[in-house]
Amino acid sequence: MINPPVHRSQLANGITVLTIANPSADIVSGRFFIPAGGRWELSAQAGLAQLLTSVMMKGTQQLSALEIADRVESVGAGLSADTTTDYIKMSLKTVKSDLVDIFKLAAEILRTPSFPESQIELERKLILQAIRSQTEQPFNNAYRQLRTALYGEHPYSRSSLGTATTMAQISRQDLVDYHQTHIRPDRLIISLAGRITPTEAIELVAQVFDDWEIPQIEPPVLLTQKVTTNPQYQVEHQATQQAIVMLGYLAPAIHDPDSIALKLIDSYLSNGMSSRLFVELREKRGLAYDVSAFYPTRLDTSHFAVYMGTAASNTQIAVSGLRAEVDRLCLEPLSAAELQTAKDKLLGQYALGKQTNGQLAQTYGWYELLGLGVDFDSQFSQAIQQLTSAQLQTVADKYLSTPYISIVSPEQQLVSSQV
């Protein structure tokens, strides 16, 4: 599939509109992005954005939760809201004939949620259950421990769900205040993909949002929190049948040119059953139940991580094995064949991630929020193709030399930090 062109415009009240015309099916998908989420929360209010997006869908000043659900389900549409560390998002999907009605409903939910007390308590209970569920999962515990070591007091150290303590303390007024502060037109990005032209998209957004004025208060300012390097070795014991071993490294945000090389390194280590980690540590040595790597796209300082689920008796061997495979990247350049295979995998996966209208709306809206612009799509592919083995080795040596180590293992298994 050839990527359709992306049209960008901006309304007088600051709303950014992206249109990706893709008339192959009578479907339109949309994303409403607002820079908010966990990165904009006080530590004492961690989970506030998560509770807000959960309750937003449960009533407006004109509609009840049941009426909202009925309007969406009666036409087979999709409408939801969620949050991440870097943004709050609403998503919609509908046939073209119902777009105006569903779009107006999404706008009403975004602008005038009623935050019913009964729904706040219900959603709070559900989130508290999710928090408890996280604490029972060894991978989540290892990742939480790693993030805490990497980021300290930075919001990236926290789960978007918050903690049981912070979630229990959030009040309805906190939700109202957060909504008034962050949900405003000059912070809104709307991306629409599908059977819709740029002219239709702009007219629709203007029709629904033209009366939304920028509030006479300054937009929220994100306080920059410095992340310092201080590698640690941490072990947490949990009643589990296997150990989770995770190595992490502070890594650049997506705006840094080195991030492109790290995306390719991530793909080389973890993309599929022919990836280095899978072949070397699972297939050849039989160490891993599960082994992979990840490098999240972040507005601020990100991280690169490799991990393995293994038998508790193999914990120290797993640490050594993971370190050896990462260290090889710093010491040995990839062969021409390895480099080309990694590029083909990454670009193939990247293309498959933009097949649906929902994926297109998500991708380009996210790029806009990141400040990368609509041209980043083609720039990314070109940059990947131009990377050399020597450049990958240089970037690996720059960022992947000394890891933070996080382990979750059964209490009876003694784990040594002398690895």
Side-chain angles (χ1 to χ4, degrees):
M1 171 182 171
I2 298 175
N3 291 332
V6 182
H7 181 274
R8 182 185 187 277
S9 58
Q10 195 166 47
L11 272 61
N13 59 4
I15 297 176
T16 299
V17 183
L18 304 176
T19 311
I20 309 98
N22 181 28
S24 57
D26 188 28
I27 298 292
V28 178
S29 291
R31 299 290 187 272
F32 295 12
F33 285 95
I34 289 180
R39 198 159 164 262
W40 301 81
E41 295 170 346
L42 299 174
S43 60
Q45 293 183 323
L48 175 56
Q50 179 67 56
L51 184 57
L52 180 138
T53 52
S54 298
V55 179
M56 273 175 59
M57 301 297 300
K58 303 302 181 180
T60 71
Q61 294 175 10
Q62 303 296 326
L63 299 171
S64 68
L66 186 59
E67 289 170 327
I68 291 172
D70 182 63
R71 288 197 181 189
V72 175
E73 294 169 6
S74 65
V75 295
L79 187 60
S80 62
D82 59 81
T83 187
T84 71
T85 308
D86 286 321
Y87 60 77
I88 283 173
K89 179 183 70 178
M90 288 190 65
S91 303
L92 66 86
K93 180 179 180 181
T94 182
V95 295
K96 178 69 176 292
S97 59
D98 294 320
L99 175 61
V100 173
D101 290 340
I102 295 300
F103 191 89
K104 287 181 177 179
L105 177 59
E108 182 177 340
I109 292 169
L110 184 70
R111 293 178 62 177
T112 60
S114 58
F115 302 121
E117 288 282 8
S118 60
Q119 295 293 337
I120 292 173
E121 293 312 311
L122 174 60
E123 295 301 322
R124 192 197 313 272
K125 289 178 181 178
L126 293 174
I127 294 172
L128 287 170
Q129 290 175 5
I131 292 171
R132 285 191 292 272
S133 177
Q134 279 190 343
T135 65
E136 297 169 357
Q137 300 169 21
F139 178 90
N140 285 334
N141 286 330
Y143 190 31
R144 169 190 47 76
Q145 184 172 244
L146 178 66
R147 293 196 313 270
T148 300
L150 286 167
Y151 291 110
E153 295 301 314
H154 190 284
Y156 283 174
S157 69
R158 305 192 292 262
S159 164
S160 61
L161 298 179
T163 68
T165 299
T166 60
M167 182 53 59
Q169 296 173 346
I170 296 170
S171 68
R172 181 183 183 279
Q173 190 59 49
D174 292 330
L175 298 177
V176 172
D177 292 344
Y178 193 90
H179 181 270
Q180 291 178 344
T181 300
H182 293 277
I183 311 300
R184 43 189 286 163
D186 53 335
R187 292 169 59 80
L188 177 60
I189 299 163
I190 300 177
S191 57
L192 294 168
R195 186 168 289 182
I196 186 169
T197 66
T199 299
E200 289 174 324
I202 294 166
E203 289 178 351
L204 175 61
V205 176
Q207 174 191 350
V208 176
F209 284 110
D210 238 5
D211 65 333
W212 196 8
E213 298 180 354
I214 300 174
Q216 298 301 308
I217 57 173
E218 290 297 315
V221 177
L222 183 64
L223 299 177
T224 302
Q225 292 176 278
K226 187 175 178 60
V227 177
T228 58
T229 302
N230 181 28
Q232 302 172 36
Y233 190 110
Q234 295 183 308
V235 180
E236 182 175 301
H237 297 300
Q238 182 178 355
T240 176
Q241 296 300 311
Q242 62 173 289
I244 301 295
V245 176
M246 194 171 290
L247 277 60
Y249 310 79
L250 288 170
I254 191 63
H255 298 88
D256 192 304
D258 289 342
S259 67
I260 305 298
L262 284 168
K263 288 293 184 185
L264 187 55
I265 290 172
D266 174 29
S267 180
Y268 173 68
L269 287 177
S270 65
N271 194 341
M273 292 187 290
S274 61
S275 64
R276 174 176 280 187
L277 291 180
F278 191 93
V279 170
E280 296 296 328
L281 299 178
R282 180 183 167 99
E283 294 298 292
K284 291 184 178 180
R285 301 181 62 182
L287 286 175
Y289 303 125
D290 182 28
V291 61
S292 195
F294 55 92
Y295 171 43
T297 298
R298 291 285 186 267
L299 271 166
D300 205 347
T301 303
S302 187
H303 55 278
F304 190 99
V306 295
Y307 69 91
M308 182 192 301
T310 189
S313 58
N314 289 332
T315 301
Q316 294 184 42
I317 300 172
V319 174
S320 298
L322 287 170
R323 286 205 65 171
E325 294 307 321
V326 175
D327 288 346
R328 279 176 62 185
L329 294 167
C330 305
L331 301 172
E332 302 174 10
L334 272 61
S335 69
E338 288 175 322
L339 178 64
Q340 190 58 52
T341 298
K343 290 179 178 181
D344 292 344
K345 282 185 178 181
L346 178 57
L347 293 176
Q349 187 179 57
Y350 183 67
L352 289 173
K354 297 180 295 176
Q355 293 297 293
T356 69
N357 291 329
Q359 291 170 329
L360 290 169
Q362 173 71 30
T363 296
Y364 291 107
W366 178 217
Y367 286 168
E368 178 69 24
L369 186 142
L370 289 168
L372 296 171
V374 296
D375 293 332
F376 179 75
D377 183 64
S378 59
Q379 293 168 358
F380 177 81
S381 299
Q382 293 169 7
I384 290 295
Q385 292 287 18
Q386 293 169 2
L387 283 170
T388 66
S389 293
Q391 288 173 317
L392 292 191
Q393 187 177 2
T394 298
V395 169
D397 188 57
K398 182 177 180 180
Y399 297 102
L400 309 181
S401 56
T402 306
Y404 293 70
I405 300 175
S406 173
I407 297 171
V408 171
S409 69
E411 190 167 0
Q412 67 270 22
Q413 178 66 30
L414 299 177
V415 182
S416 171
S417 63
Q418 304 303 313
V419 178

